[in-house]
């Protein structure tokens, strides 16, 4: 299936806005007192939409935060960078979501989330959200946002609205092992696979939704569900692009890794934005790899966001 036509309008996402609080010391879990750094503005959808706006594309987010410092820090930051914040509801009865993050010695991460019972858990399609969707040309969903039946239902309604308007949809499973225990997540993933035009898994997430034994078989199966293209993120190895007629492996850019948080989000936002701006797929892939590499080279999810000039400079240095 070829890529669907571009409907003019904003790139919109829907999901958690939170603060990241990071352990300074490496190790496992949070059962002993340790030094922490933060709060950093974050949440995968928030980082995605921030990167979209940084690339000069009109962008908006549907979310909910508490009337507290964690919430306002995020809202002010997003607004300053040109994201439409009209559909972020401020709920004075709830606390803004948070994620504690600790890196293990092997580079893997442990998370401690406060999501379901936070303001983010109250995200809903209220009138400002519906107004934003009316102006949506592309809708992006993060799997991490499908953490309750309520959120899955609201995202499903949003997709029905934007699809009826001719908008396209992208989906990044962004699976955290802590979230797989949430029974609702799997239902949400299956639902999204049927509706997305652009599927953006990272390595192992490609195989998870299928029974396939090889990557090639998984790609064929997933393209058969209706996606126009699949982009597999491969960390330092770069990324691969697949559609019905071609496969393209694009190497990553070597950088010193400071913090992997947000790499996938910056990658996805850059790929989707550049594709909508009409760049050839090869360029979209190179720029997205550059966005991911720049993101891992800086600490803090939001701090990893970069401009088109910075991405082009990294590409020029590497060639
Ligand atoms: P996240 O942890 O944000 O969810 P992800 O698992 O979705 O990330 P990754 O494959 O880790 O996605 O990273 C996304 C992209 O960022 C990669 O495809 C690559 O372009 C770039 N990237 C990630 N890690 C590195 C690295 N160590 N060096 C260079 N580029 C990297
Ligand atoms: Mg990810």
């Amino acid at each position: 299936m070829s890529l669907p036509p571009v409907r003019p309008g904003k790139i919109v996402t829907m999901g958690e806005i939170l603060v990241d609080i990071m352990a300074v010391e490496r190790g496992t879990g949070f059962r002993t007192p340790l030094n922490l750094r933060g709060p950093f503005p974050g949440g995968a959808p928030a980082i995605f939409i921030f990167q979209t706006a940084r690339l000069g594309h009109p962008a908006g987010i549907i979310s909910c935060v508490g009337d507290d410092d964690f919430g306002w820090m995020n809202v002010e930051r997003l607004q300053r960078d040109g994201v439409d914040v009209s559909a972020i509801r401020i709920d004075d009865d709830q606390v803004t979501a948070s994620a504690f993050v600790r890196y293990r010695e092997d580079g893997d991460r442990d998370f401690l989330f406060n999501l379901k019972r936070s303001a983010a858990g109250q995200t809903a399609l209220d009138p400002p959200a519906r107004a934003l969707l009316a102006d949506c040309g592309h809708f992006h969903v993060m799997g991490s946002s499908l953490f309750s039946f309520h959120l899955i239902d609201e995202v499903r309604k949003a997709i029905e609205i934007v699809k009826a308007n001719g908008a396209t949809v992208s989906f990044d499973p962004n699976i955290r092992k802590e979230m797989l225990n949430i029974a609702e997540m799997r239902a949400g993933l299956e639902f999204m696979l049927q509706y997305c035009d652009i599927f953006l898994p990272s390595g192992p997430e490609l195989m998870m939704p299928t029974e396939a034994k090889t990557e090639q078989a998984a790609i064929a199966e997933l393209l058969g569900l209706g996606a126009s293209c699949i982009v597999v993120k491969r960390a330092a190895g770069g990324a691969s692009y697949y559609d019905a007629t071609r496969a393209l492996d694009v190497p990553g850019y070597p950088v010193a890794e400071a913090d992997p948080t947000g790499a996938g989000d910056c990658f996805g936002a850059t790929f989707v934005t550049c594709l909508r701006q009409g760049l050839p797929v090869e360029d979209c892939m190179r720029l997205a790899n550059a966005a991911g590499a720049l993101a891992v080279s800086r600490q803090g999810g939001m701090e990893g966001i970069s401009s088109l000039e910075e991405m082009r400079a990294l590409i020029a240095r590497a060639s």
Side-chain angles (χ1 to χ4, degrees):
M1 205 182 290
S2 61
L3 289 170
V6 170
R7 179 191 195 248
K10 291 186 173 123
I11 294 181
V12 175
T13 189
M14 176 169 180
E16 68 281 10
I17 288 176
L18 51 76
V19 288
D20 281 317
I21 299 172
M22 287 153 167
V24 173
E25 301 136 43
R26 287 186 175 248
T28 308
F30 295 95
R31 293 195 183 194
T32 50
L34 40 97
N35 293 317
L36 301 165
R37 236 185 121 219
F40 293 103
I47 296 170
F48 176 97
I49 211 64
F50 196 6
Q51 177 67 79
T52 303
R54 181 63 65 86
L55 291 171
H57 196 295
I61 183 167
I62 299 168
S63 190
C64 182
V65 296
D67 185 8
D68 50 39
D69 285 347
F70 288 175
W72 286 111
M73 161 198 224
N74 271 293
V75 173
E76 284 166 6
R77 182 74 188 266
L78 287 161
Q79 192 165 29
R80 200 167 69 223
D81 274 63
V83 175
D84 183 334
V85 297
S86 61
I88 303 177
R89 194 166 64 81
I90 314 289
D91 187 327
D92 55 16
D93 243 5
Q94 304 282 338
V95 172
T96 299
S98 55
F100 290 79
V101 191
R102 187 172 191 192
Y103 293 96
R104 295 186 176 202
E105 291 301 343
D106 63 5
D108 218 3
R109 285 169 287 178
D110 288 317
F111 290 91
L112 201 157
F113 289 108
N114 164 34
L115 260 184
K116 213 168 170 174
R117 288 171 197 84
S118 73
Q122 306 296 317
T123 302
L125 287 189
D126 55 9
R130 287 175 186 271
L132 183 60
L133 289 182
D135 187 22
C136 169
H138 181 86
F139 188 69
H140 179 75
V141 180
M142 290 286 180
S144 56
S145 308
L146 306 174
F147 54 81
S148 69
F149 279 132
H150 165 72
L151 258 297
I152 293 170
D153 270 356
E154 295 299 298
V155 168
R156 190 191 298 253
K157 281 190 254 167
I159 286 176
E160 279 161 10
I161 293 169
V162 299
K163 282 261 168 176
N165 290 341
T168 43
V169 173
S170 52
F171 177 54
D172 178 344
N174 206 30
I175 293 170
R176 304 288 176 232
K177 63 181 186 305
E178 289 78 1
M179 289 187 173
L180 272 179
N181 304 332
I182 306 174
E184 294 93 320
M185 282 285 284
R186 187 153 279 279
L189 291 178
E190 282 166 13
F191 159 74
M192 279 311 305
L193 284 171
Q194 289 173 5
Y195 285 91
C196 72
D197 301 289
I198 304 173
F199 181 46
L200 295 156
S202 59
E205 292 168 351
L206 173 67
M207 307 299 287
M208 270 185 208
T210 76
E211 305 277 305
K213 299 275 181 290
T214 64
E215 261 204 26
Q216 215 181 1
I219 285 155
E221 191 178 325
L222 292 167
L223 285 173
L225 287 178
S228 304
C229 70
I230 299 174
V231 181
V232 183
K233 294 165 276 166
R234 303 189 191 280
S240 310
Y241 170 91
Y242 305 92
D243 65 21
T245 57
R246 55 186 180 151
L248 202 67
D249 286 320
V250 184
Y253 297 99
V255 287
E257 186 173 309
D259 175 9
T261 305
D265 315 331
C266 293
F267 178 102
T270 303
F271 180 79
V272 167
T273 303
C274 293
L275 202 60
R276 276 179 66 74
Q277 289 170 339
L279 295 186
V281 166
E282 291 80 354
D283 289 349
C284 299
M285 291 291 284
R286 276 192 283 272
L287 288 163
N289 272 336
L294 289 164
V296 298
S297 68
R298 303 175 192 144
Q299 219 205 347
M302 290 278 190
E303 315 313 314
I305 281 148
S306 44
S307 66
L308 195 59
E309 293 69 37
E310 289 170 296
M311 295 173 202
R312 290 207 191 282
L314 177 61
I315 294 171
R317 278 202 300 279
S319 54

